[in-house]
Amino acid sequence: PSTEFSLEHPNYISVFHAASKDFKLPEDPTKPIIMVGPGTGVAPFVGFIEHRHTLLEEVRAEERGMQNRCEGFWRGLDVKVADETINPHAAGPMWLFFGCRHPDQDYLYKNELQRLEQEDAMKLTTAFSREQEHKVYVQHQMKKDGKNLAKWLLQDDAFFYVCGDGAKMARDVRTAVVDLLMEHKSIEKAEADKIVTKWSRTGKYMQDIWS
């Protein structure tokens, strides 16, 4: 078949849509989330981050609207009490691992991600595989910040999401998680692997991957 595109003689390709109904934010919006989405895998996470950031902005707007309504005097004393109707922790912390070849070539959603980071909507860790002589991928950055990542997963009970290439990236990311559990829980590989398998079954470790 011809590789040239023509309106008179169009070529057709087959596509299919596979819904991922379980790949969604936790029901509890205060739960921390870790997102690993190199390349086009970052797309759903932009929506995740924007959604939670909007929740926080609504809370901040409500706080500004209340102003000094919870301040006053009682028996001659200046009193200020917290407004219990406003939840300052309406959305949990978010950490995104994003990777691409070069920041000036294929950094998808660059402006949006940098803006969200500057607004403290999330913690952003990047991996640019071709920016230096040695290749750096998201799993390398995970290992580099393994202690903090292990705290999020083990102490803070964060949810873990992976989106993108299933041929290699997803396996490498899972291996990185197993490795950090081995290191920071001082357990054997078999036990660490069982933990990640359990997380996958219970929805703590979720993937939306393709190959």
Side-chain angles (χ1 to χ4, degrees), residues 98-112:
F98 171 76
C100 64
R101 294 172 66 88
H102 196 282
D104 298 326
Q105 297 173 4
D106 53 352
Y107 193 157
L108 302 179
Y109 298 98
K110 181 177 182 178
N111 293 337
E112 291 91 334

Side-chain angles (χ1 to χ4, degrees), residues 143 146-147 177-187 192:
K143 182 177 181 180
K147 183 177 181 180
V177 173
V178 169
D179 288 346
L180 72 87
L181 290 178
M182 291 170 59
E183 178 179 356
H184 297 284
K185 281 181 67 71
S186 300
I187 57 178

